[in-house]
Amino acid sequence: MKFIKRYNFFLITIGIIGIITLINRSVGIKAIGVAGYSLKEMALVIPPVFILLGLLDVWVPRETMVKYMGEGSGIKGVILSIILGSAAAGPLYGAFPIAAVFMKKGVKFSNILIFIGAWSTTKIPMFLFEMSALGTKFAVTRLLIDIPGIIIIAYILSLLMQKEEIKEIYKKAENM
Amino acid sequence: MGNYIIYAVTLILLIISFLKDKQKTKNALKKAWKSFENILPEFLGVIMLVGILLVVLNPQVISAVIGAESGWFGVILAALVGAVTLIPGFVAFPTAAMLLQNGAGYMQIGAFVSTLMMVGIVTAPVEIKYFGKKLTIARNVLAFVFSFLVAYIIGKVAGGI
């Protein structure tokens, strides 16, 4: 029962694919193929990310993280958040567990949001790929708009959230 | 390629950690498993949803809605398509390049690429689990709106107007 409750979203999507397959076999098989491909991608990216997080959690003291990215880390914390997010590979959902560990370690809320923003859009490996596919002008323009953009979005989001709500999110990260 | 580097780095760090402190390494692995298991149901659901969406929104459909001369209407559609799909970059960029060659506008492609990367409707369940509903919605809405600015500027600069 607990299993069904936890996995209800997954079970529903399986049901939908099942129905699609009954209606149109080839479309259903294609959907399963795409899902299988994503599953493979997840299997490749996710395990090392979580292991690295476990190591970070155990080895890097809270004080170190607070010093570099916590309250009062100033511009240094902002730049570090952008660099950490940009250096990463992997889809956006890979950033959330990292953000949770950062919260546990006392990283400032706006820096967490900047990290998420950088991960989503200024990733260096992707930038090189974008340049070759869509041209230097396209990629560089996008990068130059995105860097101030993610910082501004991060500060707007910090302002939108009440102190209590932020505390709640940090508390949740503690149990992740 | 990037994956192998992550694996190599992880393995090396794990070995160093193990040599320095067995108990701490064991704890790290336990924590890794706990946080993975915690988010697994959402991950699996998202992956299946991606499978369903990508067969509905195939390249033909995408190219039909954001083709040439589609103007701001095309930009909005492109932004929506980018927001709901979750395509890895190494598939998305060549696809975008192909659409450009087939007459899609720079503004539309700019909107598509931007929302594709910043807005994640499909991955929202994962994001909500970590950040809660309010922040997830606010972040995605802001990123969606911001993508129109990105599209406009890219249209001006890369489109050469």
Side-chain angles (χ1 to χ4, degrees):
Chain A
M1 214 39 222
K2 213 176 133 199
F3 176 84
I4 293 175
K5 207 176 158 226
R6 274 198 74 201
Y7 285 85
N8 61 358
F9 174 42
F10 178 48
L11 294 171
I12 290 167
T13 53
I14 288 183
I16 294 172
I17 288 192
I19 293 165
I20 292 175
T21 312
L22 283 179
I23 297 168
N24 186 331
R25 229 181 108 85
S26 72
V27 172
I29 287 171
K30 227 178 122 192
I32 293 167
V34 174
Y37 175 81
S38 314
L39 196 67
K40 209 181 89 191
E41 219 207 13
M42 178 184 120
L44 279 174
V45 178
I46 294 301
V49 167
F50 278 98
I51 291 174
L52 284 176
L53 283 176
L55 290 173
L56 173 84
D57 206 354
V58 170
W59 286 106
V60 180
R62 191 183 156 87
E63 297 75 49
T64 313
M65 294 291 282
V66 170
K67 189 176 151 207
Y68 288 105
M69 294 169 80
E71 300 287 340
S73 58
I75 188 88
K76 188 175 65 190
V78 171
I79 292 170
L80 202 58
S81 303
I82 293 179
I83 291 174
L84 283 175
S86 300
L92 183 58
Y93 54 67
F96 302 134
I98 300 179
V101 173
F102 280 1
M103 283 189 256
K104 258 198 232 179
K105 293 280 177 187
V107 170
K108 196 179 168 191
F109 191 57
S110 59
N111 285 343
I112 300 260
L113 295 169
I114 290 171
F115 168 76
I116 295 280
W119 181 301
S120 75
T121 192
T122 60
K123 275 192 296 200
I124 295 158
M126 278 300 149
F127 176 72
L128 299 174
F129 200 69
E130 182 179 2
M131 235 167 37
S132 69
L134 295 172
T136 312
K137 234 184 192 178
F138 188 100
V140 171
T141 306
R142 214 173 62 77
L143 183 71
L144 289 179
I145 315 163
D146 274 344
I147 290 173
I150 57 178
I151 296 173
I152 292 167
I153 289 177
Y155 281 107
I156 295 175
L157 287 173
S158 309
L159 289 174
L160 275 177
M161 300 296 287
Q162 311 286 338
K163 278 232 162 59
E164 287 305 309
E165 291 170 320
I166 295 174
K167 226 185 245 166
E168 200 56 44
I169 292 171
Y170 272 69
K171 220 162 80 195
K172 217 160 67 178
E174 210 56 58
N175 303 317
M176 278 287 183
Chain B
M1 187 55 197
N3 289 336
Y4 295 114
I5 296 171
I6 299 176
Y7 264 95
V9 170
T10 308
L11 199 66
I12 291 166
L13 289 176
L14 204 59
I15 290 168
I16 295 172
S17 170
F18 188 77
L19 292 176
K20 279 198 146 182
D21 192 328
K22 268 185 203 170
Q23 192 51 45
K24 266 193 172 180
T25 310
K26 232 172 114 185
N27 280 347
L29 287 174
K30 254 190 210 155
K31 281 187 177 186
W33 172 252
K34 197 188 142 211
S35 38
F36 174 67
E37 206 268 335
N38 194 0
I39 198 67
L40 190 62
E42 281 78 9
F43 267 144
L44 289 175
V46 163
I47 279 164
M48 300 304 273
L49 200 56
V50 170
I52 296 165
L53 272 175
L54 281 194
V55 290
V56 180
L57 295 167
N58 54 44
Q60 289 93 318
V61 175
I62 295 175
S63 122
V65 292
I66 61 174
E69 309 306 312
S70 53
W72 280 104
F73 184 65
V75 172
I76 294 169
L77 283 177
L80 286 173
V81 171
V84 293
T85 44
L86 186 106
I87 312 171
F90 56 88
V91 178
F93 290 131
T95 307
M98 190 194 76
L99 293 174
L100 273 177
Q101 274 161 14
N102 287 314
Y106 272 99
M107 211 160 70
Q108 288 82 352
I109 295 299
F112 171 67
V113 170
S114 186
T115 57
L116 182 68
M117 302 186 100
M118 297 185 88
V119 184
I121 292 180
V122 179
T123 51
V126 179
E127 194 170 348
I128 288 170
K129 179 123 193 202
Y130 285 101
F131 287 111
K133 259 197 193 123
K134 183 180 170 186
L135 189 72
T136 300
I137 292 170
R139 190 193 73 79
N140 282 286
V141 168
L142 282 175
F144 189 77
V145 173
F146 174 68
S147 295
F148 285 91
L149 178 71
V150 175
Y152 180 73
I153 296 174
I154 282 184
K156 288 278 182 214
V157 176
I161 306 161

